[in-house]
Each structure stands twice: as C-alpha cells, then as structure tokens.
Amino acid sequence: DAGVTQSPTHLIKTRGQQVTLRCSPKSGHDTVSWYQQALGQGPQFIFQYYEEEERQRGNFPDRFSGHQFPNYSSELNVNALLLGDSALYLCASSLRLGPSYNEQFFGPGTRLTVL
Amino acid sequence: GNSVTQMEGPVTLSEEAFLTINCTYTATGYPSLFWYVQYPGEGLQLLLKATKADDKGSNKGFEATYRKETTSFHLEKGSVQVSDSAVYFCALKSNYQLIWGAGTKLIIKP
C-alpha cells in the first residue's frame, strides 16, 4: 500500500521564479492538505482540497495556489518566489468520511530553497 | 484563536529514563488532539491521538491523555530508548486543518 508521495524531493529556485510541487495521496484517500514547515518550526496550514475544490485556506497570500485532479492527486504552485518561501512543503492526505477522518498522513516533503 | 504550546527543547535523557513532553492548547469546543513524530530525515508520522475528553491515546509505549480541565495533552513514556530520538509535535484539529506546536527535540543518550 503506497503512502503519500511527493515530488520533487529537493528544488532550488531564484527569487521571482515560479514553482510547482506535486503530491499523490495515500491509496483510498480523497482529501489533500498542504503545509509549509520552516526550519525548526511546526507546520503551517496552506490549504486543503476536496472534490477538486479548495475547502479551507490558511493565512497565505494569493501567490500560493493549488489544484486537485480527478484522481485526487494535487499540485501546489507558488508564484513570484521570495527568500522567505524557503521551507519544507508537506502534503497530507486523509479521508473526508469514516472512522479515521481525523487522521492526516504525511508525505516526506519537498525541500524548496529560494536563492 | 486556536493554538498549541509545547515545551521547548531539546530534551536530553538517558536511556530507560521516564519521558514527559508537555503540551497545552487553546481552542473553542473540544478538538481532536494528536502527537506526531519526525525522525531525522523522515516525514511526519502520527504517533497517537485522542478525540474526546479523558480519552487516552497510546502507541509504541507512548501515552497521552486528553485533559479538558487543564487543556493539556502531555506525552509520556515510561522507559525511552535511543531509537526514540526525534522531534515530537503536538497538534489539534480545527475545522479541516491541523494547528501545530513548535516541536520538541528529544535526544536519548545510551
């Protein structure tokens, strides 16, 4: 049973560029959440997607956008990169319904470095 | 707003010592509470959870009890091992998102 997968593992970009990160949820999961984890800190919620729509959004600017595909996989796009966007980006998948609906399963993350 | 506060690290213990990592929360209602662990070079793993007051979550020898009166969810283990060295995060579920503490780094010395 494949867990949550993310690509790429590492990414280096320069200020002003755009980046796309990808996530495949755990088999059977229909909901994807994205988090940003700065070094030495806890993750911060960016947004959550369900049924191809953004269901909730955290305190992040419009430069951060996302998409969910019919197969439940998801992309996170960040435009006009800033140095402060350097972080580990985590994808988590979950089920909207069922006894485990509260549990989010995390991928290994994508380490983004902005120079 | 909702928030989670956990004790600052690093916490350094000898093998077989008793572990407590404190976690308190501020929230409206009674959110589900979680402990996640992040081993070096790995992703976040769910360690245990509790969904209502007085629930005790347990896994791999770790335990935490949902205390409504003190708004706490402290993580405990009776005898730690070197392999428990990791960063531990306390989190609460608020609507669709998880709200996290800053993490506590645990170092276990042989």
Side-chain angles (χ1 to χ4, degrees):
Chain A
D1 179 19
V4 180
T5 60
Q6 293 185 244
S7 63
T9 305
H10 296 89
L11 206 50
I12 299 175
K13 292 287 189 177
T14 57
R15 280 178 298 174
Q17 284 189 312
Q18 178 265 342
V19 69
T20 298
L21 310 181
R22 295 175 176 82
C23 171
S24 291
K26 182 178 167 66
S27 178
H29 283 186
D30 55 11
T31 302
V32 173
S33 304
W34 287 92
Y35 293 83
Q36 180 195 67
Q37 186 180 17
L39 203 60
Q41 296 183 24
Q44 298 293 315
F45 176 74
I46 303 175
F47 40 55
Q48 185 181 86
Y49 276 83
Y50 173 71
E51 289 189 337
E52 303 180 48
E53 291 192 0
E54 183 182 291
R55 190 156 70 159
Q56 187 181 4
R57 186 179 187 92
N59 189 25
F60 279 81
D62 292 344
R63 297 187 297 110
F64 290 76
S65 63
H67 188 76
Q68 186 180 33
F69 299 94
N71 66 353
Y72 307 120
S73 67
S74 177
E75 288 182 349
L76 164 65
N77 300 293
V78 187
N79 294 323
L81 285 167
L82 304 174
L83 294 180
D85 294 332
S86 296
L88 182 67
Y89 288 84
L90 296 165
C91 172
S93 73
S94 55
L95 274 169
R96 190 179 79 87
L97 298 172
S100 300
Y101 81 98
N102 261 327
E103 298 181 21
Q104 295 190 7
F105 292 80
F106 284 81
T110 294
R111 172 71 63 187
L112 173 64
T113 302
V114 182
L115 302 176
Chain B
N2 297 338
S3 66
V4 175
T5 302
Q6 58 183 107
M7 63 191 292
E8 288 189 22
V11 173
T12 303
L13 296 171
S14 297
E15 207 166 17
E16 299 183 2
F18 185 86
L19 168 71
T20 300
I21 299 178
N22 291 336
C23 170
T24 57
Y25 66 90
T26 301
T28 53
Y30 304 107
S32 295
L33 301 174
F34 304 84
W35 277 101
Y36 279 81
V37 59
Q38 192 170 36
Y39 296 103
E42 297 185 18
L44 286 159
Q45 300 177 26
L46 177 63
L47 182 59
L48 53 83
K49 68 174 183 178
T51 57
K52 59 184 187 297
D54 300 325
D55 262 4
K56 178 185 280 188
S58 62
N59 186 24
K60 299 180 180 179
F62 291 89
E63 292 183 341
T65 301
Y66 192 139
R67 301 287 188 199
K68 181 179 62 174
E69 313 78 30
T70 54
T71 61
S72 65
F73 192 54
H74 304 321
L75 183 68
E76 296 182 334
K77 186 176 185 182
S79 176
V80 293
Q81 307 299 314
V82 171
S83 58
D84 294 327
S85 298
V87 181
Y88 292 81
F89 292 92
C90 184
L92 67 82
K93 187 88 177 295
S94 174
N95 292 323
Y96 303 118
Q97 65 173 293
L98 289 171
I99 295 174
W100 301 77
T104 302
K105 184 173 184 178
L106 175 65
I107 301 169
I108 306 300
K109 297 188 172 182

